[in-house]
Amino acid sequence: MKRLQALVRREFWENKGALRTTPIIIGAICIGFTLMAVFTTSHVDNDLYTFKEAILLFAEQPVEFRSMAVTQAILVLSVFFTTVLLFVVFFYLLGALYDDRKDRSILFWKSLPASDTVTIASKLVTAMVVAPIAFLAVLIATQLLIALIASVMVLIVSENPWSLFLGVTNPFSVWGLIGLSYIASAIWALPLYGWLLFVSAFAPRVPLLFAILPPVVFSVLQVWIEFLRTFTLKNTLAGLIGKWFTNAPLMFSIGDFDDGTPQVTLGVPITDDFDHSATVANIFDRLFSLQMLVGLVIAIVFLAGALWLRRRATDN
């Protein structure tokens, strides 16, 4: 366990630009746009009259409406962090085992008292736990600063920010739901993570091409050769991957619910396989599904392949 912790710490410090600096930059951009909106409002709105009228109108709404509005604001802002997190984890895993071979440091790392299994486990832990926690921590800090700025603006127009929006919802439950969706999505994405590590373990160069071209080529061949569809349950590989992605337990898109209100949804709500409303129950419904079981089997195959290649890797 101590070796795993040491390797995870090493992964963080070697990739602190992606895992630490990137979310900070995203948070700074969000705060910057908030301040720009404040300065623009102060400049064009004489004595903040229009802003005050809007605040009064918002205060007249029922508590349930204001609570839903604040909750949606928190969830919608998280989508920006989530999008960047996906790209960070994707490229991190793609280079996780490739970079050691590229810079010829693999023999050095193999000489350390840490097995290849622990090494690959450290890559997975970094992608599945460390990266989501880092992004979530910066997301929370960013939203707290934005809430502080909004509170100051509300106080300027002589209104009470606590009764208006701060005290109408529990942000910890929303942040907990976001964090749970991050971890659940990391488990759901294990087939992809396994594939990326597998490619990273054998690609001689440009691992991005080796990760993308095989499924694309196979999907195109499936369109031309009907026999190949039997290997993906009568469907194309691209269709299965797309369906898998749309069902992910990740709060990544906005859809309209039955009452017509826009809400952040799990995955992309274009399938009826699961309920896409963002709730804890729906997140666990995905984790204990047949699709998840099949995904775990696929992930084990890819990870076993990555481990086999890692054990036989050289600095060449």
Side-chain angles (χ1 to χ4, degrees), residues 158-233:
S158 302
E159 293 296 327
N160 186 346
W162 179 261
S163 60
L164 183 66
F165 66 92
L166 290 179
V168 298
T169 191
N170 182 7
F172 295 100
S173 63
V174 184
W175 292 330
L177 183 63
I178 295 173
L180 178 61
S181 75
Y182 279 175
I183 300 302
S185 299
I187 299 174
W188 183 268
L190 272 173
L192 173 61
Y193 291 178
W195 168 250
L196 293 176
L197 285 173
F198 178 71
V199 172
S200 184
F202 80 82
R205 56 180 60 86
V206 195
L208 180 62
L209 292 180
F210 285 86
I212 295 178
L213 282 182
V216 170
V217 171
F218 188 75
S219 297
V220 172
L221 290 177
Q222 284 183 303
V223 176
W224 294 341
I225 306 174
E226 185 176 356
F227 169 73
L228 293 178
R229 298 187 189 182
T230 59
F231 294 101
T232 52
L233 304 179

Side-chain angles (χ1 to χ4, degrees), residues 13-266:
W13 286 110
E14 285 193 346
N15 299 275
K16 59 183 179 181
L19 302 177
R20 184 188 66 181
T21 306
T22 299
I24 291 177
I25 292 176
I26 299 301
I29 292 175
C30 293
I31 294 173
F33 277 115
T34 302
L35 291 175
M36 288 175 59
V38 170
F39 295 148
T40 302
T41 300
S42 302
H43 181 72
V44 303
D45 191 4
N46 293 329
D47 297 325
L48 295 178
Y49 175 80
T50 305
F51 177 75
K52 184 175 183 179
E53 290 298 315
I55 292 298
L56 292 175
L57 179 62
F58 184 70
E60 293 175 356
Q61 304 302 316
V63 175
E64 295 77 12
F65 176 86
R66 286 183 280 130
S67 176
M68 180 185 65
V70 174
T71 300
Q72 289 185 11
I74 295 175
L75 293 175
V76 169
L77 182 59
S78 72
V79 172
F80 296 101
F81 283 81
T82 301
T83 304
V84 178
L85 174 61
L86 292 176
F87 282 98
V88 167
V89 171
F90 180 89
F91 286 102
Y92 162 74
L93 289 175
L94 202 55
L97 302 177
Y98 170 78
D99 292 340
D100 290 349
R101 294 183 292 112
K102 180 182 178 181
D103 60 18
R104 299 179 180 273
S105 64
I106 185 171
L107 291 182
F108 169 75
W109 295 116
K110 279 178 168 289
S111 67
L112 297 179
S115 66
D116 293 316
T117 302
V118 176
T119 299
I120 291 179
S122 69
K123 312 289 186 182
L124 274 179
V125 171
T126 301
M128 297 178 65
V129 180
V130 176
I133 289 178
F135 272 75
L136 180 61
V138 178
L139 169 64
I140 293 174
T142 300
Q143 292 181 335
L144 288 175
L145 288 175
I146 292 176
L148 177 61
I149 295 172
S151 299
V152 172
M153 288 293 294
V154 172
L155 287 173
I156 289 176
V157 295
S158 302
E159 293 296 327
N160 186 346
W162 179 261
S163 60
L164 183 66
F165 66 92
L166 290 179
V168 298
T169 191
N170 182 7
F172 295 100
S173 63
V174 184
W175 292 330
L177 183 63
I178 295 173
L180 178 61
S181 75
Y182 279 175
I183 300 302
S185 299
I187 299 174
W188 183 268
L190 272 173
L192 173 61
Y193 291 178
W195 168 250
L196 293 176
L197 285 173
F198 178 71
V199 172
S200 184
F202 80 82
R205 56 180 60 86
V206 195
L208 180 62
L209 292 180
F210 285 86
I212 295 178
L213 282 182
V216 170
V217 171
F218 188 75
S219 297
V220 172
L221 290 177
Q222 284 183 303
V223 176
W224 294 341
I225 306 174
E226 185 176 356
F227 169 73
L228 293 178
R229 298 187 189 182
T230 59
F231 294 101
T232 52
L233 304 179
K234 304 296 183 180
N235 200 347
T236 64
L237 180 61
L240 287 177
I241 294 176
K243 190 174 183 181
W244 168 81
F245 178 77
T246 58
N247 287 327
L250 188 66
M251 289 182 285
F252 189 63
S253 62
I254 302 176
D256 289 333
F257 279 16
D258 295 335
D259 57 1
T261 59
Q263 296 197 15
V264 176
T265 60
L266 298 176

Side-chain angles (χ1 to χ4, degrees), residues 279-300:
T279 64
V280 174
N282 290 333
I283 289 176
F284 280 102
D285 186 35
R286 285 162 168 78
L287 292 183
F288 293 95
S289 65
L290 178 61
Q291 290 90 326
M292 184 71 259
L293 179 60
V294 174
L296 288 177
V297 173
I298 296 174
I300 290 173

